[in-house]
């Protein structure tokens, strides 16, 4: 009788529909990007990666707003991100411009996949511990944005990827390496999205949308590439003396000179560790 009572609550357990539905949408977009690249439709494949980013940005926020965060959702989100921002961009880059390089081509694509996997694993182990204002290493969606933006830009300007295969290989390897680096990137999680803003701020946001709409492939590639470059500058500015362990190594090796950030990190430890978040 007691065993039946212990098992009964388990039968009522389930998963929250809305956030996991959004996560599934991101997973589908990543898988569709792979299929599109195999069919030679590289522009559509690149657009699918950016659509996956939208789903990835929504699922965690919806889960927190509706109080439907769960350990299952966090794990499912990481697995979906591995497909959408790890495997899919690497295969797109390989099919578009790396396949004719032989071993160098698929090794460059693997470096990106491995970087995304290590980046997501490290992020999951640091949730609730690291300073939420910064990412350690380039976030996997941003790295995927560089690859997708490059392919989209090349498709718009009718550039054959195999004609610039060494450039594609270099960008793919650097993007994958930045994900496992110790460079710090602003996470923008300290922005008060619920607060009031001036009319000028709304006008600036509208202008940003207009600029992106004029040439989305070029603007998105420049934005994500600029964000990737910002990491080393932020890191160099924030350390007392730049050492090799500030670039690669464990998070404990980084000696950042900021007492306020240490205080903020201590406060973040008290927050709930298990919630969906941007990797």
């Amino acid at each position: 009788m007691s065993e039946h009572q212990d098992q009964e609550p388990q039968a009522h357990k389930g998963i929250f529909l809305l956030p996991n539905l959004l996560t599934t949408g991101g997973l589908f977009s990543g898988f569709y990007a792979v299929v599109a690249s195999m069919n030679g439709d590289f522009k559509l494949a690149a657009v699918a990666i950016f659509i996956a980013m939208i789903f990835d940005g929504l699922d965690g926020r919806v889960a927190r707003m509706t109080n439907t965060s769960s350990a299952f959702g966090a794990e499912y989100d990481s697995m979906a991100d591995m497909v959408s921002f790890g495997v899919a961009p690497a295969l797109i880059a390989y099919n578009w411009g790396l396949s004719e390089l032989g071993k160098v081509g698929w090794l460059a694509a693997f470096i990106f996949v491995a970087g995304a996997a290590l980046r997501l694993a490290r992020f999951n182990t640091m949730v609730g511990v690291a300073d939420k204002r910064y990412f350690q290493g380039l976030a996997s969606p941003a790295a995927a944005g560089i690859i997708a933006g490059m392919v989209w830009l090349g498709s718009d300007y009718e550039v054959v990827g195999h004609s610039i295969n060494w450039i594609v290989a270099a960008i793919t390897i650097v993007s994958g390496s930045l994900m496992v680096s110790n460079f710090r990137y602003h996470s923008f999680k300290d922005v008060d999205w619920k607060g009031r803003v001036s009319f000028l701020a709304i006008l600036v946001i509208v202008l940003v949308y207009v600029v992106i709409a004029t040439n989305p492939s070029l603007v998105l590639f420049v934005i994500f590439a600029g964000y990737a470059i910002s990491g080393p500058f932020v890191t160099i500015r924030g350390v007392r003396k730049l050492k090799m362990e500030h670039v690669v190594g464990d998070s404990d090796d980084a000696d950042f000179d900021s007492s306020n950030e240490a205080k903020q990190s201590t406060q973040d430890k008290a927050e709930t560790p298990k919630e969906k978040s941007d990797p």
Side-chain angles (χ1 to χ4, degrees):
M1 181 67 178
S2 60
E3 182 180 355
H4 175 72
Q5 291 176 348
D6 292 339
Q7 293 179 353
E8 185 175 356
Q10 300 293 332
H12 296 286
K13 286 188 175 181
I15 60 174
F16 296 108
L17 177 62
L18 184 56
N20 291 292
L21 189 63
L22 294 171
T23 303
T24 303
L27 177 62
F28 175 81
S29 299
F31 177 76
Y32 183 80
V34 174
V35 175
S37 70
M38 293 172 62
N39 293 330
D41 197 342
F42 297 109
K43 181 176 181 178
L44 190 58
V47 172
I49 295 296
F50 287 108
I51 294 176
M53 291 184 194
I54 297 175
F55 281 112
D56 182 63
L58 289 176
D59 59 1
R61 286 168 177 78
V62 169
R64 289 188 290 271
M65 290 174 59
T66 58
N67 196 25
T68 53
S69 299
S70 65
F72 173 86
E75 296 299 328
Y76 184 35
D77 183 60
S78 293
M79 293 181 182
D81 289 346
M82 183 60 208
V83 174
S84 300
F85 308 130
V87 176
L91 289 178
I92 293 172
Y94 180 80
N95 292 329
W96 185 63
L98 298 177
S99 59
E100 293 186 359
L101 289 178
K103 290 183 179 179
V104 175
W106 65 259
L107 284 174
F110 175 74
I111 289 174
F112 187 92
V113 173
L118 293 170
R119 171 69 179 83
L120 289 167
R122 182 170 67 177
F123 176 82
N124 290 339
T125 59
M126 294 175 61
V127 172
V129 177
D131 188 346
K132 288 191 174 183
R133 296 175 299 169
Y134 296 96
F135 291 133
Q136 182 182 353
L138 181 65
S140 54
I146 295 175
I147 302 299
M150 171 184 64
V151 174
W152 189 357
L153 185 63
S155 299
D156 280 350
Y157 288 91
E158 298 182 353
V159 176
V160 179
H162 297 295
S163 65
I164 55 170
N165 47 19
W166 287 105
I167 297 177
V168 176
I171 293 176
T172 303
I173 293 173
V174 171
S175 300
S177 301
L178 285 176
M179 284 190 281
V180 294
S181 69
N182 268 343
F183 291 134
R184 299 193 307 168
Y185 291 87
H186 285 286
S187 66
F188 304 104
K189 293 183 179 180
D190 55 343
V191 177
D192 184 12
W193 299 104
K194 297 181 181 179
R196 294 177 177 271
V197 296
S198 64
F199 179 79
L200 180 61
I202 298 297
L203 182 60
V204 170
I205 294 175
V206 172
L207 291 176
V208 169
Y209 282 119
V210 171
V211 171
I212 294 177
T214 55
N215 194 338
S217 59
L218 176 61
V219 175
L220 289 174
F221 177 74
V222 170
I223 289 175
F224 284 105
Y227 180 71
I229 296 173
S230 70
F233 289 100
V234 171
T235 304
I236 293 172
R237 188 181 62 180
V239 298
R240 297 189 184 95
K241 184 179 180 181
L242 185 66
K243 301 177 182 179
M244 181 58 66
E245 55 263 27
H246 295 144
V247 179
V248 294
D250 297 331
S251 59
D252 295 337
D253 295 333
D255 183 19
F256 297 106
D257 184 15
S258 178
S259 59
N260 292 332
E261 292 173 8
K263 184 185 297 183
Q264 179 68 29
S265 178
T266 303
Q267 294 175 354
D268 291 339
K269 291 180 181 180
E271 298 185 7
T272 304
K274 284 293 184 181
E275 64 177 18
K276 284 190 175 183
S277 184
D278 298 329

